[in-house]
Amino acid sequence: RWGRAEPAAVSGSVELAGLRALAQRFLPAERVDGLIAGSGDVSHASIQQVAAVEHELAAVIGASSAHLLVDVVRHRRRDELEVVAAIVGEASQDLRFNQRVLEAALENMSQGICVVDAQLCVVAWNRRYSQLFDYPEGMLTVGRPIADLTRHNIERGVIGGGEIEQRLQRRLTAMRSGTPHLSERKFPDGSIIEIRGNPMPGGGFVATFTDVTAFRQTEHELTRANENLEQRVDERTAELAQASAVAESANLAKSRFLAAVGHDLAQPLNAAHLFTHALSDQLRHPQYREAVARIDSALVSAEDLLGGLLAISRLDAGGMRVQCESFRIDHAMQSLAAEFGLLAQQKGLQLRCRTLPVWIVSDMQLLRRILQNFLSNAAHYTRTGGILLACRRQGDDVSIEVWDTGVGIDAADRATIFEEFKRLQRDGHGLGLGLSIADRLARLLGHRLSLRSRPGRGSVFAIRVPIGTAAAAAPAASNDSIAMVPRHSRVLVVDNEASVRDAMQALLRGWHCDVQIAADTEAALRAVRAAAPDILLLDYHLDADTTGLDVYRRLCEEIGERPCAIVSADHSQALRDRVAAAGCQLLHKPVKPLALKSMLAHLQARRNAGDEFC
């Protein structure tokens, strides 16, 4: 049900043997023979053969990846073909897995879903949608104008009667303008369907169709029961309590489901993200590096969306605990400035940090998440100029502020931007969750957010945090420019996911590290007995109910203490406490290569300095 992009026209000389070898990596042998049939003793493939192979590959690994691989064969870069094909194969497997998960989820939803593109043509739907409207055979196809389907439904009286063309044009105009739509219709079979339509970023529309018949019937019965409410109050109270319990149970089940799905999706995203960085380090041709950069940008967007949805889920379920303590705000701000400085530099912006050696009282992790959202928002909407991360005293509080020279925000929109799924510009990435998460976290912490803005000049997002008293604390790590990982540092990577191990190995070797990989405790012990590592990089959730901390303790018994980073998609406070108690560092999935490089440099520096690790 998904449209397939046709490959771009190809030209130039392509060796037939190279084209056949490429096709055989991803296609069955008989299909390859059919595509390159009748070649005889010709050494070079025809334009038609190249186009046919690229078309078939596009259906398996995507049009962009297929075009990239064919281009490598065309230029006879055999050394690059092996690297590119291997990484594209890994990435395409992960993408196909994610696509199957998404398709299965859509097909099994109780809601009907229909998606149209910017040209108002149907591009996707699920089985429930087809069942609700019972279209004639062959009418519901990819590329069908939504106007045809809407006219058909109006003529049948499914979505209301009246003058057909007038009603049709009113609906099409609403879709083109991006106006959200909400209505209820009674279908000929007596069912009541709630129709909700919302515009998509970049154009197009997605509509959901929910059967609310039972809900409306219950509502009608409750209205009638109100006439003798005194006699039935106990019964209705019990029913409402049961309904509330069911709703609460469903909400908790949803949160657990999202958490589980989030962990599973983080694995292939993490591997793909690391592979793209490894590939970027190996390729020299600017065209290939640009393609890899675009893939990496798409993966970062997917990671941000997944992280935002999981954060909203944890907030809805009340799963975030506040752990307030006193800490130095200048240390936290300098760390954030170092983290976002490179992002600002890549966009041609200057990021400055002005701080004070002041102690504040807050939850360091949650406050850091709020400031990260402020900085990310500023970097996204600032085209020229710079960003300032600063703090100043305000009575018994400290105001931590992020200034930018971006597009600014109109007064009428300043409340809207803190709502979920709201963005003022549709050309951006994401679902509009960042500022909503920041607002909810601030309310959870009891801190006050504020916003000042001048359209066309820039904005200032601020949060007020109470001043605290100095507490004994370990000296903060230096936040100078990101240190380089010493060459030939020996790193042991333990992860039960083969794709993650391979991706981590490729990335670390690109940084000139000697890498050992293992899937479990026994393999890790064999590796360290062969050569003791300098640094341990251990996944937390391993097979057979084993954790990375279990592996760490076993390795310490075997070779003594080593600096160790635990990698996990779990953001819970309980895990942070366990990792800290073991004397290890925590790195969250999906792993960002820059954060990984900084962590490795820090751990190697600690080892060279002879620090204790447990």
Side-chain angles (χ1 to χ4, degrees):
R1 294 177 184 158
W2 301 92
R4 179 185 303 166
E6 294 294 330
V10 295
S11 60
S13 176
V14 178
E15 289 185 352
L16 189 62
L19 185 64
R20 180 182 292 276
L22 171 62
Q24 288 174 342
R25 282 179 169 272
F26 301 97
L27 302 175
E30 59 273 14
R31 184 57 183 153
V32 176
D33 293 337
L35 293 171
I36 315 180
S39 301
D41 297 329
V42 179
S43 62
H44 291 82
S46 66
I47 292 176
Q48 291 77 13
Q49 290 172 328
V50 175
V53 169
E54 184 176 345
H55 179 85
E56 290 295 321
L57 289 177
V60 177
I61 60 176
S64 299
S65 298
H67 186 72
L68 177 63
L69 289 173
V70 170
D71 196 48
V72 171
V73 174
R74 178 180 290 110
H75 291 89
R76 300 177 179 85
R77 295 187 174 90
R78 298 181 182 273
D79 55 336
E80 294 183 0
L81 177 60
E82 294 297 324
V83 177
V84 174
I87 293 178
V88 166
E90 290 281 352
S92 64
Q93 289 177 8
D94 293 335
L95 291 175
R96 286 197 299 272
F97 171 77
N98 292 341
Q99 182 181 7
R100 288 194 296 269
V101 171
L102 179 59
E103 289 177 349
L106 291 176
E107 284 300 307
N108 288 281
M109 290 181 67
S110 60
Q111 291 179 312
I113 297 178
C114 180
V115 182
V116 300
D117 59 17
Q119 287 72 44
L120 300 187
C121 293
V122 176
V123 294
W125 65 90
N126 67 352
R127 181 171 51 202
R128 180 58 176 156
Y129 173 76
S130 177
Q131 293 172 346
L132 283 172
F133 289 91
D134 192 24
Y135 291 109
E137 183 71 21
M139 187 172 191
L140 189 57
T141 58
V142 173
R144 168 79 68 177
I146 193 63
D148 295 349
L149 303 181
T150 304
R151 180 182 289 106
H152 175 76
N153 291 330
I154 295 175
E155 290 173 347
R156 291 193 304 159
V158 173
I159 55 175
E163 207 284 319
I164 296 176
E165 289 303 321
Q166 182 179 1
R167 293 175 60 85
L168 174 63
Q169 292 306 318
R170 186 165 64 249
R171 288 177 174 273
L172 295 179
T173 300
M175 290 185 187
R176 293 191 187 98
S177 64
T179 303
H181 172 74
L182 176 63
S183 65
E184 285 187 5
R185 299 293 179 188
K186 188 170 184 179
F187 278 29
D189 62 356
S191 61
I192 302 174
I193 306 299
E194 179 191 82
I195 304 174
R196 185 184 297 269
N198 285 290
M200 295 190 300
F205 222 77
V206 57
T208 59
F209 305 82
T210 307
D211 189 341
V212 295
T213 307
F215 176 80
R216 292 306 177 202
Q217 289 175 347
T218 302
E219 182 181 55
H220 178 65
E221 292 173 1
L222 288 174
T223 301
R224 296 177 54 189
N226 190 51
E227 297 175 356
N228 53 355
L229 181 59
E230 291 183 0
Q231 293 79 15
R232 305 183 62 184
V233 64
D234 292 338
E235 178 184 350
R236 289 305 181 191
T237 301
E239 290 178 1
L240 290 174
Q242 182 181 3
S244 178
V246 170
E248 182 66 22
S249 175
N251 187 51
L252 292 175
K254 177 206 71 174
S255 298
R256 289 193 296 268
F257 172 77
L258 285 176
V261 170
H263 179 271
D264 292 342
L265 291 180
Q267 294 290 82
L269 282 176
N270 184 44
H273 194 47
L274 296 176
F275 270 128
T276 58
H277 276 266
L279 177 60
S280 179
D281 291 339
Q282 297 177 40
L283 296 180
R284 297 183 178 88
H285 197 287
Q287 177 186 355
Y288 305 150
R289 294 178 68 90
E290 180 182 357
V292 172
R294 291 181 177 179
I295 295 173
D296 186 62
S297 177
L299 290 172
V300 170
S301 297
E303 291 171 1
D304 291 341
L305 292 178
L306 181 59
L309 290 172
L310 292 178
I312 288 291
S313 176
R314 287 196 299 273
L315 285 167
D316 286 341
M320 285 192 175
R321 292 187 301 155
V322 175
Q323 300 283 339
C324 287
E325 59 182 348
S326 290
F327 59 91
R328 285 270 296 268
I329 185 57
D330 53 336
H331 294 164
M333 291 176 62
Q334 289 165 4
S335 174
L336 284 168
E339 178 181 339
F340 281 86
L342 182 59
L343 174 62
Q345 183 180 359
Q346 290 173 346
K347 296 193 65 176
L349 304 173
Q350 180 184 11
L351 191 150
R352 295 175 295 157
C353 180
R354 294 179 181 175
T355 185
L356 297 171
V358 178
W359 291 79
I360 63 171
V361 178
S362 184
D363 185 305
M364 182 185 296
Q365 296 299 327
L366 298 185
L367 179 62
R368 180 182 176 86
R369 180 67 182 271
I370 294 172
L371 296 177
Q372 283 177 327
N373 285 333
F374 286 171
L375 287 167
S376 177
N377 193 67
H380 181 75
Y381 290 106
T382 302
R383 301 291 182 264
T384 60
I387 301 170
L388 172 65
L389 174 62
C391 69
R392 57 193 176 94
R393 290 178 178 267
Q394 287 190 338
D396 294 332
D397 297 334
V398 171
S399 177
I400 309 172
E401 303 172 348
V402 175
W403 298 62
D404 66 60
T405 57
V407 296
I409 304 167
D410 291 330
D413 296 323
R414 291 176 192 174
T416 304
I417 60 172
F418 290 101
E419 298 178 12
E420 296 171 7
F421 307 104
K422 295 291 186 181
R423 291 186 293 107
L424 300 184
Q425 295 186 2
R426 293 181 184 170
D427 58 347
H429 297 289
L431 294 177
L433 293 175
L435 291 178
S436 172
I437 293 172
D439 180 56
R440 295 175 67 169
L441 289 177
R443 285 188 271 117
L444 185 65
L445 291 168
H447 302 339
R448 184 167 66 87
L449 291 186
S450 62
L451 166 63
R452 306 191 304 276
S453 184
R454 295 178 62 185
R457 299 291 298 275
S459 304
V460 182
F461 288 87
I463 182 170
R464 289 186 61 163
V465 184
I467 295 176
T469 56
S478 171
N479 288 303
D480 297 334
S481 59
I482 298 300
M484 297 297 295
V485 181
R487 287 174 176 263
H488 306 302
S489 294
R490 184 175 289 112
V491 182
L492 171 63
V493 177
V494 179
D495 198 298
N496 59 337
E497 291 285 340
S499 61
V500 176
R501 292 196 302 272
D502 295 341
M504 194 70 76
Q505 184 179 47
L507 181 65
L508 293 176
R509 283 180 174 174
W511 295 343
H512 307 287
C513 294
D514 297 330
V515 186
Q516 301 166 292
I517 59 173
D520 52 34
T521 305
E522 294 305 318
L525 288 171
R526 289 194 296 270
V528 300
R529 288 165 183 163
D534 300 314
I535 299 171
L536 305 176
L537 198 60
L538 313 177
D539 185 37
Y540 184 75
H541 292 286
L542 301 173
D543 293 335
D545 294 327
T546 303
T547 70
L549 292 177
D550 297 332
V551 177
Y552 175 66
R553 285 187 284 269
R554 185 67 184 86
L555 294 178
C556 285
E557 295 173 359
E558 184 74 23
I559 60 172
E561 300 167 355
R562 290 294 189 276
C564 174
I566 300 295
V567 184
S568 176
D570 186 349
H571 288 253
S572 68
Q573 182 63 40
L575 178 61
R576 292 204 297 265
D577 294 341
R578 286 194 292 271
V579 172
C584 301
Q585 302 292 321
L586 181 61
L587 195 61
H588 285 119
K589 291 183 180 180
V591 174
K592 298 187 183 302
L594 186 61
L596 175 62
K597 181 180 286 188
S598 176
M599 176 72 73
L600 292 176
H602 172 63
L603 292 177
Q604 184 63 54
R606 289 180 58 190
R607 175 165 175 77
N608 294 339
D611 288 356
E612 295 183 356
F613 307 109
C614 289

